[in-house]
Every structure is written in structure tokens, then in C-alpha cells.
Amino acid sequence: MTPLKSYIELLRRSPAVRIISVAVLVSIIIVLTAIIGRTANRKPVIERISPPIGSPGDIMVIHGENFGDSRGTSYAEIAGSRITSTGYLSWSDSSIKLVIPSNVQDGLVVVVTPSGKSNSGFFANEISIPVAVRSDPQITTPAVFALEPQEAVTGGIIRITGANFGGSRGVSQVFFTANREEASGEQGVIPASVFDWDYEMWSDTEIHVRVPDGSASGPVYVQTERGQSQGRRLTVLNSAGSKKYTGKLTYVVQVSADVVNNALNQDASITLYIPRPALSSFQPYAELNDCSPEPLIADDPYTIIQQRPLSRAVNNKQRFTQTFVVSTYAIESAVNGRRIRAPLDTKRTLVSTYTASDKCVPSGDESIKALAQSVTGRETNPYEQARLLYAYMTENFKITEKTRTGNVSPLDLLRRKTGDAYDFAVIYTALCRQCGIPALPISGILVESDSSARAHWWTELYFEGFGWFPVDVALGSGLKYTSFKYIEDARDFYFGNLEGQHIAFSRGWHEIRPSVKNSKTVYRPRAYALQSIWEEASDSASSYSSLWNTPSIQGIY
């Protein structure tokens, strides 16, 4: 007999079994009814929407209950348009945070879960309302949803998706974790470099940016005028080698110039373009601390612009002073030369610009071409090419202590076999560019062990996947200099390393256009900055004289 037939026979013969079976059946029905009723009572409920008025890209928060602890198959709708999966920032039983989509219209807001559809709230698109609506900064701060890829080399492009980045970059920035010893606060992070053209694309919901030189593994975040996003971790790969930034030094640097009127009653003005220290991975901080007189423009990224009338009194001297606080780090490079490759993207702006000839670097000159080919031969590895060129210059050219005067050509070095630090830096930069290695001449000052300073020039090379690589051919060739710390082999040390006593005022050539038609401009050759105009006098100026002093060190910390 089957179990079912046995049970039926038992029910027929035993009244007690029949009573128990009926009781169990009734209990099951009651429980199922309660479950169904409870489920029906857990339909989602919207209590309020924040904000009720907003714009595409803003963050909306739906407050209520019974949304479920996770989204699953549930969703929210605005004006009949379902929010896609990438639009949700968070989902909990009592709140849903989402990004208002670009095609949003005025209409009802509802939440739909497996338990049913909620009551509705109302949302209005700010653009369609003919009155000014004040934005809530809490819902317009930048938000980062994803960062891809999560591993990249220096110079590699990452894609940041999110909301509220702004339709254009403006003054907004992407910050990375800085590769600096004991760095914290604003010196513990490093922004993507405008100078290196790190920003490839910027929209309100998506940013394409290159990993800047000097980055380390750690959080990446977006900073706009409305606030700072949360950080997303990026791992910076170092297969091509690594750099250490150590031994932070902070300098108080004073820059000054004197202007003297040499003519009576001349109705004229003079404009001075005073170089400001350049920002970079090894020089992350440079702030104007004091300026006299009040400048015409103080926030230009390259210069402090002073403009004053020439005094009507003969021999009346005007002094212009600027004091900067500058922090620098020593650089220690360890390059895996075998992993250095020629730039893959030759159209990248950094590559095309810093491998071309310009007004400062004569890399297209035939004598440069011939020497570069002679020294490097069949070598195609950029690191090895740079090393061969460095060895050749330090062995075959003689460095002079005194800087040459006048607007003389650095190409003289190839013929004379002797030259100053400016000649060495410019020619080495030109030879590297001729080999297809992005290279920059750096101009600034060199701080001596007694805290005095002198104008100085060196080079930075850009290696794919590594970043900027410092080379000081003049010091490597025996230019007399005493650093704070003893350097045993200068020739070996200054190919890839700096000691923290180089203060840069310009990285590459800075072309300045005259601000006034028919003005009289002055160029200062072999100065502590590489720029086309230092002084600009109005057309009516008949006679004046100027004296630019080498920047002086007022303090070291």
C-alpha cells in the first residue's frame, strides 16, 4: 500500500487524526494569509524627495520606507523615465540616492519593488522654471562612481565617471596621492598637470586624465569650486622604474629689480614680467608671500606682472620686490632601462611639443642632427640614448664657471668644445629631442652650501611609463659647487638625481606677447628664467635703465 493510501485509511478509521489534520491545515492557511498581508503592507512608501527642484547631474535623495536593503530588480522612475543601473549611488530600505539624468522632465517620482509601486512625489526641472532657484551645495558636490582602469603607469590615461564635475574644467582639478616622503596635507597630494597636458577630456559626468609625474598608489579625487569628491583608489605601476622624493627643503626667495628714469618729464609707463617659481613634482609648493608695489596681475601662472609710470624725476629709482616661499625635494631615480620604450603616442601634445625645435632649443640644426646620430648610432632605447649623450658631453666638453654674456648661441659649444651651464643644458636638451626623447631645459637658481644663489640651467627628460628624469650635465661635467650633503661622484649622481638645492623658475621656453602695440621690449639672455620678454616700455619712453638682481635666499627651513 502506498503512503498516501495508508494516510487516507488512517483518517477514515481515526477521528483524532482527522481533527489534528484539520487543525494543521487551518494553521497553514492562517500563516500564508499573514505573509501575503504583510507583503502587501510592505509596498514602498515615499515620504519626501530632496531636492524637489533640480537640474540634470544633481543628486536626488528619495526618503521613505520599504525600498528593500538592496536594489535587486527594483527601480525608481522620474516622469515615467526609469533610472538605469549606473545612475544609483546607494540604495537602502529608507533612502535611495541617484543622479538626475540628462533627459529629465517635470513629473512624478515613484519607486517600484517586487512588493508593488509606491505613492508618488513630484519633481520639477530647474531649467523649466522661470525663477532663480538656489542650488544646495550638498547635492552639487562632485561624485565619483568609478575609476577605470584601477591600475596605470605614470602618463597612462584613466577614465573617471561620476556627476557634478562641471561642463568644462575651469579651475577644477583631479588630485592624486603624491610620492613624497613624509608629505601631508596639500603636499601629500599632486594635481594632474596642466603644464604636461594631463587633462585629455572633461565633462560633467566623465573625465579622461593622465596619471601625473610624481604620483603614488592611493586615493584619487575630483576638486571643484563646489567641493571635493570621495576618493577612489588607483594603483600606480612602476615596471619602468621608480623615483623617491626625499629631504624636503623650504626656501624664502626674494626677487628684485630696480628701474631708474633717465629723462626729464617723460610721460611713459613700464611693465615688468617677473618670473615666479614653477610648480612640478619635485617643487610642489611656490607661493607669493609679499610683493611691493602692488602688482597689476598676481595670479598669472608664469609671472608677476608689474606696471608703473616712469617717474618724472630724473635718476629717481623704483624698486620692485617679490618674496616667494618655495618647497623642493631631492630626487632619487631608479630606472629599469630595458623597459623604457619610445613614446607610443607621438601625437600626444607633450611628446610633439618637447621633441620639436623652438626659440630656445635648436634641435633641428644640422650640427645637432649629425652629433646625435654619431653618438647614439643604432641604439633605439631612449634611456640608453640619453645615457650615451650624457657620457659624450661630460667627456668631450669643458664647462666654464663664468656665464657667457650677450645673446650668443649655445651652438658655439659644438665648435668651441667649451661653454657655460646654459650651453650644456640647451645642447643636451636639443640632442635628446633630436633622438625623439621629450626634453625640457630648466632655468632657475642653484643654492650653494653657504645659502648664496646663482643662475643655473639643467634638463628634464620624459620617459614613457616613468615620468620626468632630471639630468644636470653642467654639474656632472665638473662645475664647481658644494651641496649641503657630500656627493661622491657628481658625474654618476646628476644623471637622474637632484639634491634639493635646484629651484626652478621656468620649465621650457615661455613666449610672452607684447601687451601694447609699438612698445619697446627687453629680452634677458641666459637669465634665471627662459622667457621672451622681461620688460616692456610704452612707445613714449625715451630713456630709462634697469637692473635685475639674481634671486636671493632669505631663509632656509
Side-chain angles (χ1 to χ4, degrees):
M1 183 179 291
T2 64
L4 179 59
K5 289 182 179 180
S6 298
Y7 179 67
I8 294 172
E9 182 64 23
L10 185 61
L11 286 175
R12 186 177 63 83
R13 294 182 179 182
S14 175
V17 173
R18 288 199 297 271
I19 293 170
I20 293 172
S21 298
V22 170
V24 171
L25 180 61
V26 170
S27 299
I28 293 172
I29 293 172
I30 291 172
V31 170
L32 289 175
T33 302
I35 292 173
I36 293 170
R38 185 180 177 187
T39 301
N41 291 333
R42 284 190 58 81
K43 286 177 58 176
V45 176
I46 294 178
E47 295 175 352
R48 62 186 174 91
I49 298 169
S50 176
I53 302 172
S55 300
D58 288 351
I59 297 174
M60 173 187 287
V61 181
I62 304 173
H63 300 273
E65 58 184 15
N66 303 332
F67 300 148
D69 293 331
S70 59
R71 189 171 66 84
T73 59
S74 303
Y75 59 89
E77 286 185 354
I78 303 177
S81 178
R82 184 180 301 189
I83 305 301
T84 60
S85 59
T86 58
Y88 298 100
L89 300 179
S90 64
W91 187 295
S92 70
D93 195 54
S94 59
S95 70
I96 301 168
K97 186 181 289 186
L98 55 85
V99 179
I100 300 172
S102 59
N103 61 344
V104 69
Q105 302 294 324
D106 297 345
L108 300 179
V109 178
V110 296
V111 175
V112 181
T113 73
S115 298
K117 180 184 290 188
S118 72
N119 59 312
S120 59
F122 185 79
F123 170 80
N125 189 337
E126 181 179 356
I127 299 174
S128 64
I129 300 176
V131 293
V133 178
R134 182 176 296 177
S135 297
D136 183 351
Q138 293 183 345
I139 60 168
T140 55
T141 55
V144 173
F145 305 157
L147 184 152
E148 296 176 339
Q150 296 178 6
E151 295 182 345
V153 297
T154 298
I157 297 178
I158 62 171
R159 177 174 172 261
I160 302 172
T161 55
N164 303 324
F165 300 149
S168 59
R169 191 180 70 83
V171 297
S172 301
Q173 294 179 295
V174 178
F175 284 90
F176 295 72
T177 301
N179 179 26
R180 303 190 189 108
E181 182 183 71
E182 299 177 356
S184 60
E186 66 178 44
Q187 293 194 30
V189 296
I190 187 169
S193 173
V194 176
F195 182 86
D196 289 347
W197 296 280
D198 285 337
Y199 294 102
E200 295 281 340
M201 190 273 276
W202 190 291
S203 73
D204 193 53
T205 59
E206 188 171 331
I207 298 169
H208 295 182
V209 61
R210 293 183 183 272
V211 179
D213 179 59
S215 298
S217 298
V220 175
Y221 66 86
V222 178
Q223 177 80 47
T224 73
E225 291 180 305
R226 294 183 173 183
Q228 175 183 314
S229 75
Q230 76 278 33
R232 295 280 180 171
R233 181 173 175 78
L234 173 73
T235 299
V236 178
L237 304 175
N238 297 313
S239 60
S242 61
K243 279 188 291 187
K244 291 182 180 179
Y245 296 82
T246 62
K248 175 186 172 185
L249 292 171
T250 299
Y251 300 90
V252 179
V253 184
Q254 186 176 87
V255 177
S256 63
D258 298 322
V259 176
V260 178
N261 176 35
N262 295 330
L264 184 63
N265 293 328
Q266 58 177 329
D267 184 16
S269 65
I270 186 170
T271 302
L272 302 185
Y273 297 90
I274 300 170
R276 65 187 309 152
L279 296 177
S280 67
S281 59
F282 83 90
Q283 188 169 291
Y285 184 84
E287 288 294 325
L288 179 65
N289 189 50
D290 185 54
C291 187
S292 178
E294 190 72 20
L296 175 67
I297 299 176
D299 56 358
D300 181 86
Y302 299 99
T303 58
I304 304 296
I305 302 177
Q306 293 275 13
Q307 188 175 76
R308 309 293 288 183
L310 284 170
S311 173
R312 290 178 177 272
V314 177
N315 297 327
N316 191 317
K317 181 173 73 174
Q318 297 184 75
R319 165 154 284 201
F320 300 84
T321 61
Q322 288 69 218
T323 303
F324 300 94
V325 178
V326 184
S327 292
T328 68
Y329 284 82
I331 304 174
E332 298 176 19
S333 300
V335 176
N336 186 343
R338 292 175 299 174
R339 289 187 173 270
I340 300 297
R341 298 289 182 267
L344 298 175
D345 182 6
T346 56
K347 293 183 179 180
R348 178 184 173 186
T349 307
L350 181 148
V351 175
S352 61
T353 302
Y354 299 144
T355 55
S357 183
D358 59 31
K359 292 184 178 180
C360 178
V361 182
S363 55
D365 188 88
E366 290 300 324
S367 59
I368 294 291
K369 291 181 181 180
L371 182 57
Q373 178 60 41
S374 172
V375 173
T376 60
R378 296 183 178 181
E379 181 62 65
T380 59
N381 180 286
Y383 178 79
E384 293 300 327
Q385 288 176 324
R387 188 183 61 80
L388 289 171
L389 292 169
Y390 178 79
Y392 178 86
M393 290 191 65
T394 55
E395 291 171 2
N396 293 277
F397 295 151
K398 182 181 179 181
I399 187 72
T400 59
E401 302 294 326
K402 188 176 181 180
T403 302
R404 295 202 294 160
T405 59
N407 194 16
V408 291
S409 173
L411 291 169
D412 294 344
L413 178 64
L414 304 183
R415 173 179 52 84
R416 300 171 68 242
K417 306 297 181 183
T418 184
D420 58 24
Y422 178 89
D423 296 322
F424 273 60
V426 171
I427 293 302
Y428 182 72
T429 303
L431 290 168
C432 289
R433 287 190 181 186
Q434 177 56 221
C435 292
I437 305 169
L440 277 175
I442 312 298
S443 184
I445 57 175
L446 188 62
V447 181
E448 299 277 2
S449 59
D450 62 358
S451 299
S452 63
R454 53 172 156 155
H456 189 63
W457 304 267
W458 64 101
T459 301
E460 286 186 12
L461 311 178
Y462 192 87
F463 292 136
E464 193 89 1
F466 178 85
W468 290 107
F469 180 85
V471 180
D472 194 325
V473 193
L475 291 180
S477 297
L479 181 67
K480 291 183 180 179
Y481 166 67
T482 306
S483 67
F484 296 151
K485 295 182 179 181
Y486 174 70
I487 296 173
E488 182 176 356
D489 186 343
R491 182 182 176 192
D492 178 67
F493 179 82
Y494 285 108
F495 185 71
N497 308 288
L498 289 182
E499 72 303 282
Q501 292 167 244
H502 290 63
I503 300 177
F505 273 84
S506 59
R507 302 179 70 238
W509 177 255
H510 179 211
E511 185 70 22
I512 299 175
R513 295 182 179 181
S515 62
V516 180
K517 188 177 181 180
N518 298 324
S519 61
K520 302 170 182 177
T521 62
V522 174
Y523 163 64
R524 299 184 66 230
R526 299 175 188 252
Y528 63 89
L530 303 172
Q531 59 187 46
S532 59
I533 298 177
W534 289 71
E535 305 166 16
E536 182 181 7
S538 58
D539 185 46
S540 56
S542 57
S543 179
Y544 76 91
S545 59
S546 62
L547 173 64
W548 290 77
N549 303 300
T550 300
S552 61
I553 305 300
Q554 304 295 303
I556 304 176
Y557 305 95

